[in-house]
Amino acid sequence: MEPNPNVAAAIASAESASGDEKAAMAARYESILADLPSLASPAAPTAADLNAVFDSFFRQSPGLVASRAFLTTFVNTLKGIENEQLWIDVGTRTLDKLAAQPSSYFDAAATLYELLATAHENNDDFLDAAKALAEIPLDSSQRKVSDEDKARVWVRIVRNYLEVGDDTAADVYVNKLKNIMHTLLGLDAARAEETTARMIEQGRLVGRMDQLDGTVWFQGGEASGEKGSRRADVVANKEMRRWDANVEGLAEDVESVINSLQKEFPAFVAANLVS
């Protein structure tokens, strides 16, 4: 499908001035994106319009700084068009194109994966939403991500996996959440390790510790609460949805994490973890 003639003309004009400085070139393409609704009028901007602008820009060898500025505007333009299928089509294609670039654009990729996940969630495609969220770069040395932001992403992943009954995949992210709880709640690692070990020994938690790896693996299940039993009582929340036994335990784990965060970070929970 070809782009709107007005969009194509604006792109041709930008390409004809390609000898300008990179910052000026980026500004021209950002201007096209800002004018896209009027250029595409009376119809809404299409995937062909957005893809044509993207492709033309990167044909100019724009450089890293100009590219990041352009991508910020490009992604915001895409988000501003309320069309979930467009988010999926353009977002997926853009991510593929960025993966082929010599430079890494982690911030743009993260925003696009979140946009894809939102579109999939709105379409009840929860597995695809979980997979999109799992692709968000959270541990790159080139992109610093706070534990609060990691928690927000991981809670969404857990919820999506629970929606499709994949408690095994959800359990992976529940453990990721629990392993950063000491940071979120202001506990140092040594104190968190000591407290967790004591609770496992007393039978108040079900799990095991890997001190070399610095992780704790938690397990759902009923428990006696007896010292040394390594089993803990799991109290069913009557407000939870009717999952099978394993999924219900995981859902309770997630709720426990959210409740703990609520005490220390009420604004964060209200903005990111409460639907």
Side-chain angles (χ1 to χ4, degrees):
M1 183 177 177
E2 296 297 322
N4 182 291
N6 293 331
V7 176
I11 291 172
S13 176
E15 290 178 342
S16 68
S18 59
D20 291 351
E21 293 183 356
K22 295 185 185 298
M25 180 192 67
R28 286 197 305 276
Y29 280 90
E30 290 174 45
S31 178
I32 294 174
L33 291 170
D35 294 339
L36 203 57
S38 60
L39 290 172
S41 181
T46 65
D49 296 332
L50 286 159
N51 292 340
V53 176
F54 180 94
D55 290 346
S56 175
F57 176 81
F58 276 97
R59 281 198 298 267
Q60 312 305 314
S61 301
L64 184 60
V65 174
S67 295
R68 285 176 173 168
F70 167 80
L71 284 170
T72 297
T73 304
F74 182 85
V75 172
N76 287 336
T77 300
L78 178 60
K79 288 174 65 177
I81 303 171
E82 296 185 3
N83 183 325
E84 288 154 359
Q85 191 58 51
L86 187 71
W87 293 354
I88 294 171
D89 293 342
V90 175
T92 301
R93 181 183 187 273
T94 301
L95 285 165
D96 289 341
K97 293 286 186 179
L98 291 180
Q101 293 293 321
S103 300
S104 298
Y105 301 100
F106 293 110
D107 288 334
T111 304
L112 285 169
Y113 279 123
E114 286 211 51
L115 192 61
L116 284 179
T118 299
H120 287 310
E121 287 169 343
N122 291 344
N123 291 333
D124 292 341
D125 295 327
F126 301 111
L127 181 58
D128 286 338
K131 290 179 178 179
L133 290 166
E135 291 294 331
I136 294 175
L138 298 178
D139 298 311
S140 170
S141 60
Q142 299 182 46
R143 181 174 183 264
K144 300 299 182 183
V145 182
S146 68
D147 283 341
E148 289 87 349
D149 285 337
K150 290 179 181 179
R152 179 177 59 82
V153 172
W154 290 339
V155 166
R156 283 183 71 184
I157 293 174
V158 169
R159 286 175 170 170
N160 281 300
Y161 275 130
L162 291 179
E163 287 284 357
V164 296
D166 192 343
D167 53 315
T168 301
D171 194 24
V172 172
Y173 291 93
V174 168
N175 279 292
K176 286 178 179 287
L177 281 163
K178 290 187 174 182
N179 277 306
I180 63 170
M181 284 303 295
H182 70 278
T183 302
L184 294 173
L185 300 179
L187 298 175
D188 60 59
R191 184 179 173 190
E193 179 180 324
E194 178 184 354
T195 300
T196 302
R198 184 171 63 252
M199 292 179 73
I200 291 174
E201 175 62 23
Q202 292 173 346
R204 294 161 59 197
L205 280 179
V206 182
R208 58 184 174 81
M209 298 183 65
D210 186 334
Q211 291 179 306
L212 293 178
D213 192 39
T215 58
V216 182
W217 289 95
F218 296 88
Q219 301 168 339
E222 296 183 357
S224 64
E226 297 176 358
K227 183 177 180 180
S229 67
R230 297 180 180 270
R231 300 176 64 81
D233 292 324
V234 178
V235 181
N237 185 336
K238 295 181 180 179
E239 300 300 322
M240 297 299 295
R241 300 172 64 177
R242 291 186 176 180
W243 308 101
D244 61 44
N246 289 334
V247 176
E248 184 176 62
L250 286 171
E252 290 171 9
D253 286 342
V254 174
E255 185 178 46
S256 176
V257 171
I258 295 174
N259 287 340
S260 297
L261 289 175
Q262 176 71 46
K263 295 177 182 178
E264 296 293 328
F265 303 96
F268 167 76
V269 172
N272 298 292
L273 303 184
V274 179
S275 57

